[in-house]
Amino acid sequence: MANFNKVNVAAEARTELHNQLSLTGAEISINNLPAGTSVPFIHSHKKNEEIYAILSGKGKVIIDGETIELTAGDWLRISPAAKRQFFASEGTAINFICIQVKENSLEEYTKDDAIV
């Protein structure tokens, strides 16, 4: 059995990679919102923080009533309890990745976790 999984993802509205990559410590989704649309709900989490990477386009996110403008290249971390909703701008679609992990679960990273 290989020590890796690879998947190629089509440009769908939302693709969750948990099952496709057999993830055990994170959830990753790829999201594409057409111009003028939004995620159709406001949500928060019980335990998981979310890290967003804006890949292309423009939009905004409303977090606990505060509006944050988003553009390609932006990265954003949101605490579990924060209420959030994402919107594409009226004239431009937005494409982003969301990485969901349990808050405060990172114990080692980069060189501390590497075996060389």
Side-chain angles (χ1 to χ4, degrees), residues 68-116:
I68 295 96
E69 298 296 325
L70 300 171
T71 191
D74 287 347
W75 285 81
L76 178 68
R77 178 215 173 253
I78 304 177
S79 296
K83 291 178 174 33
R84 69 214 70 175
Q85 185 177 17
F86 283 79
F87 300 80
S89 70
E90 286 301 317
T92 308
I94 191 168
N95 173 257
F96 57 91
I97 292 175
C98 176
I99 304 166
Q100 208 179 117
V101 295
K102 184 177 177 185
E103 187 177 45
N104 297 314
S105 65
L106 185 63
E107 295 176 359
E108 296 179 289
Y109 56 94
T110 313
K111 68 176 182 157
D112 293 334
D113 188 53
I115 301 170
V116 181

Side-chain angles (χ1 to χ4, degrees), residues 27-68:
E27 171 63 282
I28 301 173
S29 64
I30 302 167
N31 303 268
N32 297 291
L33 292 176
T37 66
S38 68
V39 172
F41 52 85
I42 299 168
H43 77 285
S44 61
H45 289 276
K46 297 174 191 170
K47 298 178 182 179
N48 294 341
E49 65 186 5
E50 290 181 324
I51 302 99
Y52 291 88
I54 310 305
L55 302 176
S56 64
K58 293 182 181 180
K60 67 181 179 182
V61 58
I62 300 176
I63 305 171
D64 292 336
E66 182 177 346
T67 300
I68 295 96

